[in-house]
Amino acid sequence: PAGTHTAGVQSVYSSGVSEIMTMDFVIEGAAETFPVTFTVNDLSETYQDIHIKGQMTDPEWEDVPMEEGPDYIWTVTLNVAPGTYEWGITESGDEWLLPEGDNLEFTLDAEGNVTGVVTYDLPLNVQDFMNNNISMFPNPVKEVVTLRSDNVMSEIRVMDMSGRVVYSSNVVTEEHQINVGSFESGIYFVQIITADGIFTGKLQVQK
């Protein structure tokens, strides 16, 4: 078993035996693990079989099914050893649901405290802009992006890849500009709310 032990060693000769010499040794146990709950909020309300996988799954990057709860919220709890891990989300273990190269990451410390991303909002269909006469330009953008809609926009939100809202504004207009000069380079999701519903587009900020 794991712990500190003592072994006795004795030499045997044809004329007799030596004294017993002792030595201590340690057997290390398995690393302590802590339960970590992962949550995926399917804002599109379209996915049927969400899985997660990452460096924390056993074996690494093995798909693990999540359980669907009310309001299209999927969860799974895994026992994880302290460390830093990258992970991602799939549909049925086949379709990767994050932009390529943008893995999520979290850290679990020796006391079981979690920092980083273990909750993620899957955005609405990013093709909604194209199908509902909404334009967003320039894209990629460095400083100011313009949103234009055939229908009056009532609210605009911008979210980063972790689902954190980095910009929000209540408006009554068919055209709106957002200064992204303070945004970090990367992919963002822009949500526009009109009388016809919520529509989402993908915006690339490139400094």
Side-chain angles (χ1 to χ4, degrees):
T4 300
H5 304 266
T6 300
V9 180
Q10 185 178 54
S11 297
V12 179
Y13 307 101
S14 57
S15 58
V17 296
S18 71
E19 295 182 0
I20 296 176
M21 305 297 292
T22 61
M23 64 180 70
D24 296 332
F25 65 95
V26 176
I27 298 294
E28 294 184 354
E32 184 178 9
T33 61
F34 299 91
V36 177
T37 298
F38 300 84
T39 302
V40 175
N41 181 16
D42 176 17
L43 297 178
S44 70
E45 301 182 359
T46 59
Y47 294 104
Q48 304 296 316
D49 187 22
I50 294 179
H51 292 58
I52 67 169
K53 63 180 180 179
Q55 294 173 319
M56 72 292 178
T57 56
D58 187 16
E60 285 193 11
W61 296 100
E62 180 77 8
D63 280 284
V64 176
M66 305 188 78
E67 181 177 349
E68 184 179 11
D71 301 322
Y72 302 92
I73 296 176
W74 299 70
T75 59
V76 66
T77 299
L78 303 178
N79 290 321
V80 181
T84 298
Y85 304 89
E86 292 186 5
W87 65 286
I89 307 164
T90 69
E91 169 74 344
S92 303
D94 298 320
E95 180 186 359
W96 185 251
L97 300 182
L98 299 177
E100 187 174 352
D102 288 326
N103 296 337
L104 307 175
E105 185 177 280
F106 72 97
T107 297
L108 179 69
D109 68 18
E111 283 73 45
N113 301 308
V114 176
T115 55
V117 180
V118 292
T119 298
Y120 183 78
D121 289 342
L122 279 172
L124 300 174
N125 187 343
V126 296
Q127 299 301 319
D128 279 342
F129 274 16
M130 297 173 59
N131 297 332
N132 290 276
N133 298 317
I134 298 174
S135 58
M136 178 169 58
F137 57 91
N139 190 8
V141 61
K142 291 184 177 181
E143 293 293 337
V144 177
V145 61
T146 298
L147 307 175
R148 186 175 294 162
S149 170
D150 286 355
N151 295 320
V152 173
M153 299 179 285
S154 60
E155 185 177 352
I156 298 170
R157 290 193 294 260
V158 181
M159 298 176 296
D160 62 17
M161 290 301 302
S162 70
R164 180 173 60 96
V165 176
V166 297
Y167 176 88
S168 179
S169 179
N170 294 318
V171 297
V172 182
T173 183
E174 294 179 354
E175 183 173 312
H176 184 75
Q177 291 185 325
I178 302 173
N179 189 322
V180 300
S182 63
F183 291 16
E184 295 182 359
S185 296
I187 300 296
Y188 295 82
F189 294 99
V190 180
Q191 286 188 341
I192 293 178
I193 299 176
T194 74
D196 292 334
I198 303 175
F199 307 103
T200 304
K202 184 187 294 185
L203 173 68
Q204 182 178 357
V205 175
Q206 193 173 72
K207 299 300 179 67

